[in-house]
Every structure is written in C-alpha cells, then in structure tokens.
Amino acid sequence: MDVMLHLNEIAKWGLSKTVAEIFYIAIGIIFILVGLKALKDKNLKVRIYSATFWFILAFTFIAGPYVPKFITGICVIVIAALSALNKVQQSHSDVPSAEQTRVNADKFGYKVFLPALTLAVAAVLIATFWKKLGANNAIGMSALVALFAAYVIFKCKPGYAVTDGTRLMDNVGPVGILPQLLAALGALFTAAGVGTVIANGVKAIIPDGNHFIATAVYCISMALFTIIMGNGFAAFSVITVGIGIPFLIAQGANPVVVGALGLTAGYCGTLMTPMAANFNIMPAALLETRNKYSIIKAQLPVALTMLALHIVLMYTLAF
C-alpha cells in the first residue's frame, strides 16, 4: 500500500522535481564512491567511520523522499556526531606528480578556465530560457555542459571525472554539506521566532528615533549572524524580521534599500567565516593551501571596509 502511494506521488512530479531527483541520486552515488574509497584505504585508522559517514549521507540523498522524516533526522544526527568527533578523514588519493602538473599547465594554459566559464554562461542561459526546469536544476545541467566541454578541450579519459570528482569531495570533507544544513537551520530559527527574541533584546540598545544606530546595528547583526550561520539568506530572514522591519522600515526607511543593502551586508559576513564552506573552505581545499583559513584572512580587510560602507550607504539612501 505504501509503495503504491509513493508511486502515485512520483507520478505527480513535474519536470523540475524529476530532474532534481536525478541529480540528487547522482550526488548520492558520488558519496558512495567516496565511502568505498575510504574503505579501501587500509592505512586510514577511521576508515569504517569515514565510510559510514559517506554511506549515510548518500542514503539521505537517494532515499530521502521515500523514508519517514524521523529516519532522515537520525541520519543527520549520526553524521553530525561522526564529524564532531573527527571520525571523518580524507583517505589516500593518487594525484599527479608536480612535474606532470607543470607539464599540463604549460600545455593548456588559460584553457583550464574555459569549463568554468562555460558552466557560468550555460547556467544563465538555461535558467533564462528554460524556466520550467528551475534555477537549481539549471546549475546541474550547466555542470554537465561544462563537463562535456572539459572532455572536448582536454581529451582526457572519461573515468577521470569520477576519480577526480570523488577525490575532490573527499578532500573537501563534511564541510561540503554545511550550506545545506545551515540553510535548514535558518528556516528553523525563523519558524521558532528567533527574530522576535532578537527584537526584544535590541530594544535596549537602540535609542528611540536614532536612525544611524539602528542602521549600524542592523548591518552589523546581518554580518555577525551570517558569520554564525554561514548563510546570508538564512540570516536575512531572521535579522530583518527582528531588526530591519521594526527599527528601520517601520520608522520610515525605504524597504527596497534596506532589503538590498541588508542582504549584501550579510555577504560581508560570508567573507569572514569558515561556516561559508563553499566560498572559503572549498577553494582552499581546491588550491591545497597550507592554511585552510588563508582565503578568509585575505578577505577580512575588504569585508570590514565594505561593511562600514554599507552602514553609511543605508543610512544615507534609506531615510
């Protein structure tokens, strides 16, 4: 009976959800391959724990829509515990030698950037002209286009995509899924009324009618909450409800200016936090920097300068 209900539900899926599920399954398969990679590494002391992490994560991506939600919740708790206890570590990878890397770099030069450029252009075109597919699916489809472009340009073996994709995911590790978890946490905070709690606390800080202090508190809170959450969108919903609406918009500020500059003020926090793993930690892993926080250190002066400019601009333009 349950199987029939699931089949009936699947039959109602439109193009967007069907394509999304295909991508989720593909991502789940990559996680399985990372787990198998860990199991094969006999020198990895935590190989069983690492493999378990990736297998459970793959299960949530592949079987998530078909199992009770409490099971998915248990899976999230388990993978969070494994990560917190440092039981998820990178396994051995076969990487090209420095000499081979140098030869390929000299051979292809700036052509290495063409797949990335292809991905960006394809994403915009697909999202613009194939709206039924959905913006998220447009990114997935553009990745396929970029992968095809890479094969054409570099004429590499098809298996390289699987090998290097698995190695990259293993190199990034659990922080690769932080954006998903933090976005969900932001929605949970909003539903729980955290914005109202923040508003009650801020009343004691902002003097009545002082628009500049209200603006400064709003922008700084957006940046700080983004640093904590690692996600500007999650921070925006909570901080705007708690501070932006009652202390700025309700006091006569232009909501368009407050909304636009408020979100980008949060992005200043994105530049300063390891919680924004896809922006700050994954590139460090890709570049294999000695210090995984080197990107954040380089961005910090720019982020603080931009945050100060946001406060001035919002105060000047919104009132």
Side-chain angles (χ1 to χ4, degrees), residues 125-163:
L125 292 176
I126 294 172
T128 302
F129 298 105
W130 200 358
K131 295 182 179 179
K132 289 185 178 180
L133 192 63
N136 289 334
N137 290 330
I139 297 174
M141 295 297 291
S142 64
L144 294 177
V145 174
L147 179 61
F148 178 76
Y151 279 132
V152 172
I153 295 169
F154 305 120
K155 297 179 174 59
C156 55
K157 296 179 181 179
Y160 282 3
V162 177
T163 302

PDB file of all heavy atoms in Angstrom, residues 125-163:
ATOM      1  N   LEU A 125      21.951  30.950 -19.310  1.00  0.00           N
ATOM      2  CA  LEU A 125      21.107  30.700 -20.487  1.00  0.00           C
ATOM      3  C   LEU A 125      19.992  29.699 -20.181  1.00  0.00           C
ATOM      4  O   LEU A 125      18.832  29.909 -20.556  1.00  0.00           O
ATOM      5  CB  LEU A 125      21.968  30.186 -21.643  1.00  0.00           C
ATOM      6  CG  LEU A 125      22.968  31.194 -22.240  1.00  0.00           C
ATOM      7  CD1 LEU A 125      23.818  30.523 -23.306  1.00  0.00           C
ATOM      8  CD2 LEU A 125      22.231  32.395 -22.822  1.00  0.00           C
ATOM      9  N   ILE A 126      20.335  28.611 -19.483  1.00  0.00           N
ATOM     10  CA  ILE A 126      19.333  27.585 -19.167  1.00  0.00           C
ATOM     11  C   ILE A 126      18.287  28.144 -18.215  1.00  0.00           C
ATOM     12  O   ILE A 126      17.076  27.913 -18.392  1.00  0.00           O
ATOM     13  CB  ILE A 126      20.009  26.333 -18.573  1.00  0.00           C
ATOM     14  CG1 ILE A 126      20.894  25.661 -19.631  1.00  0.00           C
ATOM     15  CG2 ILE A 126      18.957  25.335 -18.070  1.00  0.00           C
ATOM     16  CD1 ILE A 126      21.758  24.535 -19.082  1.00  0.00           C
ATOM     17  N   ALA A 127      18.738  28.888 -17.178  1.00  0.00           N
ATOM     18  CA  ALA A 127      17.788  29.463 -16.218  1.00  0.00           C
ATOM     19  C   ALA A 127      16.888  30.501 -16.870  1.00  0.00           C
ATOM     20  O   ALA A 127      15.728  30.670 -16.481  1.00  0.00           O
ATOM     21  CB  ALA A 127      18.553  30.087 -15.055  1.00  0.00           C
ATOM     22  N   THR A 128      17.401  31.182 -17.893  1.00  0.00           N
ATOM     23  CA  THR A 128      16.640  32.246 -18.555  1.00  0.00           C
ATOM     24  C   THR A 128      15.630  31.695 -19.551  1.00  0.00           C
ATOM     25  O   THR A 128      14.466  32.128 -19.583  1.00  0.00           O
ATOM     26  CB  THR A 128      17.589  33.221 -19.278  1.00  0.00           C
ATOM     27  OG1 THR A 128      18.509  33.768 -18.325  1.00  0.00           O
ATOM     28  CG2 THR A 128      16.800  34.352 -19.939  1.00  0.00           C
ATOM     29  N   PHE A 129      16.057  30.731 -20.345  1.00  0.00           N
ATOM     30  CA  PHE A 129      15.219  30.258 -21.449  1.00  0.00           C
ATOM     31  C   PHE A 129      14.536  28.919 -21.190  1.00  0.00           C
ATOM     32  O   PHE A 129      13.745  28.460 -22.008  1.00  0.00           O
ATOM     33  CB  PHE A 129      16.069  30.156 -22.725  1.00  0.00           C
ATOM     34  CG  PHE A 129      16.632  31.470 -23.183  1.00  0.00           C
ATOM     35  CD1 PHE A 129      17.969  31.770 -22.989  1.00  0.00           C
ATOM     36  CD2 PHE A 129      15.808  32.424 -23.762  1.00  0.00           C
ATOM     37  CE1 PHE A 129      18.491  32.999 -23.396  1.00  0.00           C
ATOM     38  CE2 PHE A 129      16.315  33.647 -24.172  1.00  0.00           C
ATOM     39  CZ  PHE A 129      17.660  33.934 -23.990  1.00  0.00           C
ATOM     40  N   TRP A 130      14.835  28.278 -20.063  1.00  0.00           N
ATOM     41  CA  TRP A 130      14.190  27.002 -19.743  1.00  0.00           C
ATOM     42  C   TRP A 130      13.699  27.081 -18.305  1.00  0.00           C
ATOM     43  O   TRP A 130      14.115  26.337 -17.448  1.00  0.00           O
ATOM     44  CB  TRP A 130      15.176  25.855 -19.924  1.00  0.00           C
ATOM     45  CG  TRP A 130      14.515  24.512 -20.078  1.00  0.00           C
ATOM     46  CD1 TRP A 130      13.184  24.237 -20.041  1.00  0.00           C
ATOM     47  CD2 TRP A 130      15.185  23.265 -20.277  1.00  0.00           C
ATOM     48  NE1 TRP A 130      12.968  22.894 -20.206  1.00  0.00           N
ATOM     49  CE2 TRP A 130      14.177  22.273 -20.364  1.00  0.00           C
ATOM     50  CE3 TRP A 130      16.519  22.900 -20.404  1.00  0.00           C
ATOM     51  CZ2 TRP A 130      14.483  20.932 -20.572  1.00  0.00           C
ATOM     52  CZ3 TRP A 130      16.823  21.560 -20.603  1.00  0.00           C
ATOM     53  CH2 TRP A 130      15.817  20.590 -20.691  1.00  0.00           C
ATOM     54  N   LYS A 131      12.793  28.012 -18.069  1.00  0.00           N
ATOM     55  CA  LYS A 131      12.362  28.344 -16.713  1.00  0.00           C
ATOM     56  C   LYS A 131      11.636  27.201 -16.024  1.00  0.00           C
ATOM     57  O   LYS A 131      11.642  27.109 -14.794  1.00  0.00           O
ATOM     58  CB  LYS A 131      11.482  29.596 -16.746  1.00  0.00           C
ATOM     59  CG  LYS A 131      12.230  30.850 -17.188  1.00  0.00           C
ATOM     60  CD  LYS A 131      11.349  32.071 -17.165  1.00  0.00           C
ATOM     61  CE  LYS A 131      12.116  33.318 -17.593  1.00  0.00           C
ATOM     62  NZ  LYS A 131      11.281  34.533 -17.599  1.00  0.00           N
ATOM     63  N   LYS A 132      10.984  26.333 -16.787  1.00  0.00           N
ATOM     64  CA  LYS A 132      10.272  25.202 -16.179  1.00  0.00           C
ATOM     65  C   LYS A 132      11.230  24.245 -15.479  1.00  0.00           C
ATOM     66  O   LYS A 132      10.828  23.493 -14.597  1.00  0.00           O
ATOM     67  CB  LYS A 132       9.480  24.448 -17.246  1.00  0.00           C
ATOM     68  CG  LYS A 132       8.266  25.199 -17.766  1.00  0.00           C
ATOM     69  CD  LYS A 132       7.471  24.335 -18.732  1.00  0.00           C
ATOM     70  CE  LYS A 132       6.217  25.065 -19.220  1.00  0.00           C
ATOM     71  NZ  LYS A 132       5.422  24.241 -20.152  1.00  0.00           N
ATOM     72  N   LEU A 133      12.485  24.294 -15.891  1.00  0.00           N
ATOM     73  CA  LEU A 133      13.464  23.386 -15.303  1.00  0.00           C
ATOM     74  C   LEU A 133      13.819  23.797 -13.875  1.00  0.00           C
ATOM     75  O   LEU A 133      14.114  22.946 -13.032  1.00  0.00           O
ATOM     76  CB  LEU A 133      14.734  23.362 -16.164  1.00  0.00           C
ATOM     77  CG  LEU A 133      15.749  22.272 -15.871  1.00  0.00           C
ATOM     78  CD1 LEU A 133      15.146  20.901 -16.137  1.00  0.00           C
ATOM     79  CD2 LEU A 133      16.996  22.466 -16.727  1.00  0.00           C
ATOM     80  N   GLY A 134      13.783  25.100 -13.592  1.00  0.00           N
ATOM     81  CA  GLY A 134      14.133  25.584 -12.260  1.00  0.00           C
ATOM     82  C   GLY A 134      15.582  26.028 -12.190  1.00  0.00           C
ATOM     83  O   GLY A 134      16.451  25.468 -12.870  1.00  0.00           O
ATOM     84  N   ALA A 135      15.854  27.026 -11.344  1.00  0.00           N
ATOM     85  CA  ALA A 135      17.198  27.606 -11.252  1.00  0.00           C
ATOM     86  C   ALA A 135      18.223  26.605 -10.735  1.00  0.00           C
ATOM     87  O   ALA A 135      19.351  26.537 -11.239  1.00  0.00           O
ATOM     88  CB  ALA A 135      17.157  28.840 -10.345  1.00  0.00           C
ATOM     89  N   ASN A 136      17.863  25.821  -9.716  1.00  0.00           N
ATOM     90  CA  ASN A 136      18.815  24.848  -9.165  1.00  0.00           C
ATOM     91  C   ASN A 136      19.184  23.791 -10.198  1.00  0.00           C
ATOM     92  O   ASN A 136      20.346  23.398 -10.328  1.00  0.00           O
ATOM     93  CB  ASN A 136      18.240  24.188  -7.917  1.00  0.00           C
ATOM     94  CG  ASN A 136      18.191  25.135  -6.742  1.00  0.00           C
ATOM     95  OD1 ASN A 136      18.961  26.078  -6.665  1.00  0.00           O
ATOM     96  ND2 ASN A 136      17.280  24.888  -5.814  1.00  0.00           N
ATOM     97  N   ASN A 137      18.193  23.318 -10.938  1.00  0.00           N
ATOM     98  CA  ASN A 137      18.467  22.327 -11.973  1.00  0.00           C
ATOM     99  C   ASN A 137      19.298  22.915 -13.101  1.00  0.00           C
ATOM    100  O   ASN A 137      20.056  22.197 -13.762  1.00  0.00           O
ATOM    101  CB  ASN A 137      17.157  21.766 -12.534  1.00  0.00           C
ATOM    102  CG  ASN A 137      16.429  20.888 -11.535  1.00  0.00           C
ATOM    103  OD1 ASN A 137      17.055  20.249 -10.691  1.00  0.00           O
ATOM    104  ND2 ASN A 137      15.117  20.858 -11.601  1.00  0.00           N
ATOM    105  N   ALA A 138      19.147  24.214 -13.327  1.00  0.00           N
ATOM    106  CA  ALA A 138      19.955  24.875 -14.353  1.00  0.00           C
ATOM    107  C   ALA A 138      21.440  24.767 -14.016  1.00  0.00           C
ATOM    108  O   ALA A 138      22.278  24.598 -14.909  1.00  0.00           O
ATOM    109  CB  ALA A 138      19.546  26.335 -14.482  1.00  0.00           C
ATOM    110  N   ILE A 139      21.750  24.843 -12.733  1.00  0.00           N
ATOM    111  CA  ILE A 139      23.149  24.699 -12.316  1.00  0.00           C
ATOM    112  C   ILE A 139      23.638  23.283 -12.604  1.00  0.00           C
ATOM    113  O   ILE A 139      24.752  23.077 -13.108  1.00  0.00           O
ATOM    114  CB  ILE A 139      23.297  25.033 -10.823  1.00  0.00           C
ATOM    115  CG1 ILE A 139      22.928  26.497 -10.572  1.00  0.00           C
ATOM    116  CG2 ILE A 139      24.711  24.750 -10.333  1.00  0.00           C
ATOM    117  CD1 ILE A 139      22.906  26.883  -9.113  1.00  0.00           C
ATOM    118  N   GLY A 140      22.799  22.298 -12.311  1.00  0.00           N
ATOM    119  CA  GLY A 140      23.177  20.916 -12.589  1.00  0.00           C
ATOM    120  C   GLY A 140      23.363  20.656 -14.068  1.00  0.00           C
ATOM    121  O   GLY A 140      24.345  20.016 -14.487  1.00  0.00           O
ATOM    122  N   MET A 141      22.441  21.164 -14.873  1.00  0.00           N
ATOM    123  CA  MET A 141      22.545  20.975 -16.320  1.00  0.00           C
ATOM    124  C   MET A 141      23.780  21.681 -16.875  1.00  0.00           C
ATOM    125  O   MET A 141      24.471  21.162 -17.761  1.00  0.00           O
ATOM    126  CB  MET A 141      21.285  21.509 -17.002  1.00  0.00           C
ATOM    127  CG  MET A 141      20.016  20.745 -16.647  1.00  0.00           C
ATOM    128  SD  MET A 141      20.041  19.015 -17.181  1.00  0.00           S
ATOM    129  CE  MET A 141      19.970  19.223 -18.964  1.00  0.00           C
ATOM    130  N   SER A 142      24.068  22.875 -16.363  1.00  0.00           N
ATOM    131  CA  SER A 142      25.244  23.609 -16.836  1.00  0.00           C
ATOM    132  C   SER A 142      26.529  22.884 -16.440  1.00  0.00           C
ATOM    133  O   SER A 142      27.534  22.959 -17.160  1.00  0.00           O
ATOM    134  CB  SER A 142      25.239  25.029 -16.277  1.00  0.00           C
ATOM    135  OG  SER A 142      25.347  25.020 -14.863  1.00  0.00           O
ATOM    136  N   ALA A 143      26.504  22.171 -15.313  1.00  0.00           N
ATOM    137  CA  ALA A 143      27.672  21.380 -14.922  1.00  0.00           C
ATOM    138  C   ALA A 143      27.932  20.265 -15.930  1.00  0.00           C
ATOM    139  O   ALA A 143      29.087  19.954 -16.257  1.00  0.00           O
ATOM    140  CB  ALA A 143      27.465  20.802 -13.520  1.00  0.00           C
ATOM    141  N   LEU A 144      26.856  19.661 -16.431  1.00  0.00           N
ATOM    142  CA  LEU A 144      27.013  18.636 -17.458  1.00  0.00           C
ATOM    143  C   LEU A 144      27.588  19.222 -18.741  1.00  0.00           C
ATOM    144  O   LEU A 144      28.444  18.610 -19.387  1.00  0.00           O
ATOM    145  CB  LEU A 144      25.655  17.973 -17.745  1.00  0.00           C
ATOM    146  CG  LEU A 144      25.041  17.156 -16.604  1.00  0.00           C
ATOM    147  CD1 LEU A 144      23.668  16.620 -17.018  1.00  0.00           C
ATOM    148  CD2 LEU A 144      25.962  16.003 -16.217  1.00  0.00           C
ATOM    149  N   VAL A 145      27.124  20.413 -19.090  1.00  0.00           N
ATOM    150  CA  VAL A 145      27.655  21.088 -20.279  1.00  0.00           C
ATOM    151  C   VAL A 145      29.142  21.381 -20.094  1.00  0.00           C
ATOM    152  O   VAL A 145      29.963  21.166 -21.000  1.00  0.00           O
ATOM    153  CB  VAL A 145      26.880  22.401 -20.554  1.00  0.00           C
ATOM    154  CG1 VAL A 145      27.525  23.174 -21.699  1.00  0.00           C
ATOM    155  CG2 VAL A 145      25.424  22.096 -20.876  1.00  0.00           C
ATOM    156  N   ALA A 146      29.507  21.864 -18.907  1.00  0.00           N
ATOM    157  CA  ALA A 146      30.907  22.178 -18.623  1.00  0.00           C
ATOM    158  C   ALA A 146      31.772  20.921 -18.632  1.00  0.00           C
ATOM    159  O   ALA A 146      32.921  20.943 -19.092  1.00  0.00           O
ATOM    160  CB  ALA A 146      31.023  22.887 -17.277  1.00  0.00           C
ATOM    161  N   LEU A 147      31.215  19.816 -18.122  1.00  0.00           N
ATOM    162  CA  LEU A 147      31.948  18.544 -18.132  1.00  0.00           C
ATOM    163  C   LEU A 147      32.220  18.092 -19.560  1.00  0.00           C
ATOM    164  O   LEU A 147      33.333  17.656 -19.888  1.00  0.00           O
ATOM    165  CB  LEU A 147      31.147  17.479 -17.375  1.00  0.00           C
ATOM    166  CG  LEU A 147      31.770  16.081 -17.308  1.00  0.00           C
ATOM    167  CD1 LEU A 147      33.114  16.127 -16.583  1.00  0.00           C
ATOM    168  CD2 LEU A 147      30.818  15.108 -16.610  1.00  0.00           C
ATOM    169  N   PHE A 148      31.226  18.207 -20.418  1.00  0.00           N
ATOM    170  CA  PHE A 148      31.404  17.864 -21.834  1.00  0.00           C
ATOM    171  C   PHE A 148      32.468  18.761 -22.471  1.00  0.00           C
ATOM    172  O   PHE A 148      33.323  18.290 -23.236  1.00  0.00           O
ATOM    173  CB  PHE A 148      30.076  17.999 -22.578  1.00  0.00           C
ATOM    174  CG  PHE A 148      30.177  17.717 -24.051  1.00  0.00           C
ATOM    175  CD1 PHE A 148      30.274  16.423 -24.526  1.00  0.00           C
ATOM    176  CD2 PHE A 148      30.183  18.772 -24.968  1.00  0.00           C
ATOM    177  CE1 PHE A 148      30.375  16.164 -25.887  1.00  0.00           C
ATOM    178  CE2 PHE A 148      30.279  18.528 -26.323  1.00  0.00           C
ATOM    179  CZ  PHE A 148      30.376  17.221 -26.789  1.00  0.00           C
ATOM    180  N   ALA A 149      32.438  20.058 -22.125  1.00  0.00           N
ATOM    181  CA  ALA A 149      33.434  20.997 -22.657  1.00  0.00           C
ATOM    182  C   ALA A 149      34.839  20.602 -22.209  1.00  0.00           C
ATOM    183  O   ALA A 149      35.798  20.688 -22.989  1.00  0.00           O
ATOM    184  CB  ALA A 149      33.106  22.415 -22.206  1.00  0.00           C
ATOM    185  N   ALA A 150      34.959  20.164 -20.958  1.00  0.00           N
ATOM    186  CA  ALA A 150      36.270  19.749 -20.445  1.00  0.00           C
ATOM    187  C   ALA A 150      36.793  18.529 -21.212  1.00  0.00           C
ATOM    188  O   ALA A 150      37.983  18.457 -21.543  1.00  0.00           O
ATOM    189  CB  ALA A 150      36.157  19.430 -18.957  1.00  0.00           C
ATOM    190  N   TYR A 151      35.898  17.582 -21.511  1.00  0.00           N
ATOM    191  CA  TYR A 151      36.311  16.408 -22.279  1.00  0.00           C
ATOM    192  C   TYR A 151      36.803  16.813 -23.669  1.00  0.00           C
ATOM    193  O   TYR A 151      37.800  16.298 -24.176  1.00  0.00           O
ATOM    194  CB  TYR A 151      35.152  15.422 -22.420  1.00  0.00           C
ATOM    195  CG  TYR A 151      34.937  14.539 -21.212  1.00  0.00           C
ATOM    196  CD1 TYR A 151      33.679  14.357 -20.668  1.00  0.00           C
ATOM    197  CD2 TYR A 151      36.000  13.875 -20.608  1.00  0.00           C
ATOM    198  CE1 TYR A 151      33.471  13.544 -19.561  1.00  0.00           C
ATOM    199  CE2 TYR A 151      35.813  13.063 -19.504  1.00  0.00           C
ATOM    200  CZ  TYR A 151      34.550  12.903 -18.987  1.00  0.00           C
ATOM    201  OH  TYR A 151      34.367  12.096 -17.894  1.00  0.00           O
ATOM    202  N   VAL A 152      36.085  17.740 -24.287  1.00  0.00           N
ATOM    203  CA  VAL A 152      36.454  18.183 -25.639  1.00  0.00           C
ATOM    204  C   VAL A 152      37.794  18.921 -25.633  1.00  0.00           C
ATOM    205  O   VAL A 152      38.649  18.699 -26.502  1.00  0.00           O
ATOM    206  CB  VAL A 152      35.349  19.093 -26.227  1.00  0.00           C
ATOM    207  CG1 VAL A 152      35.806  19.716 -27.549  1.00  0.00           C
ATOM    208  CG2 VAL A 152      34.060  18.308 -26.436  1.00  0.00           C
ATOM    209  N   ILE A 153      37.994  19.780 -24.626  1.00  0.00           N
ATOM    210  CA  ILE A 153      39.202  20.615 -24.585  1.00  0.00           C
ATOM    211  C   ILE A 153      40.435  19.798 -24.203  1.00  0.00           C
ATOM    212  O   ILE A 153      41.488  19.888 -24.854  1.00  0.00           O
ATOM    213  CB  ILE A 153      39.007  21.778 -23.600  1.00  0.00           C
ATOM    214  CG1 ILE A 153      37.912  22.719 -24.097  1.00  0.00           C
ATOM    215  CG2 ILE A 153      40.317  22.551 -23.415  1.00  0.00           C
ATOM    216  CD1 ILE A 153      37.481  23.744 -23.059  1.00  0.00           C
ATOM    217  N   PHE A 154      40.300  18.970 -23.168  1.00  0.00           N
ATOM    218  CA  PHE A 154      41.472  18.290 -22.622  1.00  0.00           C
ATOM    219  C   PHE A 154      41.645  16.865 -23.139  1.00  0.00           C
ATOM    220  O   PHE A 154      42.703  16.266 -22.933  1.00  0.00           O
ATOM    221  CB  PHE A 154      41.403  18.282 -21.090  1.00  0.00           C
ATOM    222  CG  PHE A 154      41.234  19.645 -20.496  1.00  0.00           C
ATOM    223  CD1 PHE A 154      40.139  19.961 -19.707  1.00  0.00           C
ATOM    224  CD2 PHE A 154      42.163  20.646 -20.745  1.00  0.00           C
ATOM    225  CE1 PHE A 154      39.989  21.224 -19.164  1.00  0.00           C
ATOM    226  CE2 PHE A 154      42.023  21.912 -20.208  1.00  0.00           C
ATOM    227  CZ  PHE A 154      40.931  22.202 -19.423  1.00  0.00           C
ATOM    228  N   LYS A 155      40.588  16.323 -23.765  1.00  0.00           N
ATOM    229  CA  LYS A 155      40.652  14.968 -24.342  1.00  0.00           C
ATOM    230  C   LYS A 155      41.167  13.941 -23.327  1.00  0.00           C
ATOM    231  O   LYS A 155      42.046  13.127 -23.606  1.00  0.00           O
ATOM    232  CB  LYS A 155      41.544  14.971 -25.593  1.00  0.00           C
ATOM    233  CG  LYS A 155      41.003  15.840 -26.718  1.00  0.00           C
ATOM    234  CD  LYS A 155      41.920  15.825 -27.917  1.00  0.00           C
ATOM    235  CE  LYS A 155      41.305  16.567 -29.094  1.00  0.00           C
ATOM    236  NZ  LYS A 155      40.997  17.988 -28.798  1.00  0.00           N
ATOM    237  N   CYS A 156      40.605  14.015 -22.129  1.00  0.00           N
ATOM    238  CA  CYS A 156      41.011  13.109 -21.063  1.00  0.00           C
ATOM    239  C   CYS A 156      40.140  11.857 -21.062  1.00  0.00           C
ATOM    240  O   CYS A 156      39.123  11.787 -21.745  1.00  0.00           O
ATOM    241  CB  CYS A 156      40.922  13.817 -19.711  1.00  0.00           C
ATOM    242  SG  CYS A 156      39.296  14.529 -19.374  1.00  0.00           S
ATOM    243  N   LYS A 157      40.542  10.875 -20.270  1.00  0.00           N
ATOM    244  CA  LYS A 157      39.767   9.643 -20.163  1.00  0.00           C
ATOM    245  C   LYS A 157      38.460   9.913 -19.412  1.00  0.00           C
ATOM    246  O   LYS A 157      38.442  10.680 -18.439  1.00  0.00           O
ATOM    247  CB  LYS A 157      40.577   8.587 -19.425  1.00  0.00           C
ATOM    248  CG  LYS A 157      41.845   8.152 -20.164  1.00  0.00           C
ATOM    249  CD  LYS A 157      42.607   7.113 -19.349  1.00  0.00           C
ATOM    250  CE  LYS A 157      43.883   6.695 -20.073  1.00  0.00           C
ATOM    251  NZ  LYS A 157      44.650   5.705 -19.274  1.00  0.00           N
ATOM    252  N   PRO A 158      37.357   9.292 -19.825  1.00  0.00           N
ATOM    253  CA  PRO A 158      36.068   9.520 -19.154  1.00  0.00           C
ATOM    254  C   PRO A 158      36.103   9.241 -17.654  1.00  0.00           C
ATOM    255  O   PRO A 158      35.422   9.898 -16.873  1.00  0.00           O
ATOM    256  CB  PRO A 158      35.124   8.560 -19.881  1.00  0.00           C
ATOM    257  CG  PRO A 158      35.746   8.369 -21.224  1.00  0.00           C
ATOM    258  CD  PRO A 158      37.225   8.411 -20.993  1.00  0.00           C
ATOM    259  N   GLY A 159      36.921   8.259 -17.259  1.00  0.00           N
ATOM    260  CA  GLY A 159      36.981   7.892 -15.842  1.00  0.00           C
ATOM    261  C   GLY A 159      37.572   8.957 -14.956  1.00  0.00           C
ATOM    262  O   GLY A 159      37.405   8.928 -13.726  1.00  0.00           O
ATOM    263  N   TYR A 160      38.280   9.942 -15.533  1.00  0.00           N
ATOM    264  CA  TYR A 160      38.888  10.997 -14.738  1.00  0.00           C
ATOM    265  C   TYR A 160      37.848  11.806 -13.975  1.00  0.00           C
ATOM    266  O   TYR A 160      38.104  12.273 -12.864  1.00  0.00           O
ATOM    267  CB  TYR A 160      39.704  11.931 -15.630  1.00  0.00           C
ATOM    268  CG  TYR A 160      41.056  11.394 -16.028  1.00  0.00           C
ATOM    269  CD1 TYR A 160      41.459  10.119 -15.645  1.00  0.00           C
ATOM    270  CD2 TYR A 160      41.938  12.148 -16.790  1.00  0.00           C
ATOM    271  CE1 TYR A 160      42.687   9.610 -16.007  1.00  0.00           C
ATOM    272  CE2 TYR A 160      43.188  11.656 -17.155  1.00  0.00           C
ATOM    273  CZ  TYR A 160      43.556  10.386 -16.761  1.00  0.00           C
ATOM    274  OH  TYR A 160      44.772   9.897 -17.120  1.00  0.00           O
ATOM    275  N   ALA A 161      36.673  11.989 -14.586  1.00  0.00           N
ATOM    276  CA  ALA A 161      35.628  12.776 -13.924  1.00  0.00           C
ATOM    277  C   ALA A 161      35.204  12.104 -12.622  1.00  0.00           C
ATOM    278  O   ALA A 161      35.012  12.779 -11.592  1.00  0.00           O
ATOM    279  CB  ALA A 161      34.423  12.939 -14.852  1.00  0.00           C
ATOM    280  N   VAL A 162      35.072  10.785 -12.646  1.00  0.00           N
ATOM    281  CA  VAL A 162      34.678  10.046 -11.443  1.00  0.00           C
ATOM    282  C   VAL A 162      35.807  10.052 -10.417  1.00  0.00           C
ATOM    283  O   VAL A 162      35.604  10.333  -9.231  1.00  0.00           O
ATOM    284  CB  VAL A 162      34.290   8.601 -11.805  1.00  0.00           C
ATOM    285  CG1 VAL A 162      33.962   7.803 -10.548  1.00  0.00           C
ATOM    286  CG2 VAL A 162      33.108   8.588 -12.764  1.00  0.00           C
ATOM    287  N   THR A 163      37.027   9.767 -10.887  1.00  0.00           N
ATOM    288  CA  THR A 163      38.177   9.691  -9.974  1.00  0.00           C
ATOM    289  C   THR A 163      38.446  11.019  -9.293  1.00  0.00           C
ATOM    290  O   THR A 163      38.550  11.108  -8.061  1.00  0.00           O
ATOM    291  CB  THR A 163      39.426   9.245 -10.741  1.00  0.00           C
ATOM    292  OG1 THR A 163      39.184   7.976 -11.350  1.00  0.00           O
ATOM    293  CG2 THR A 163      40.625   9.136  -9.803  1.00  0.00           C
TER     294      THR A 163
END
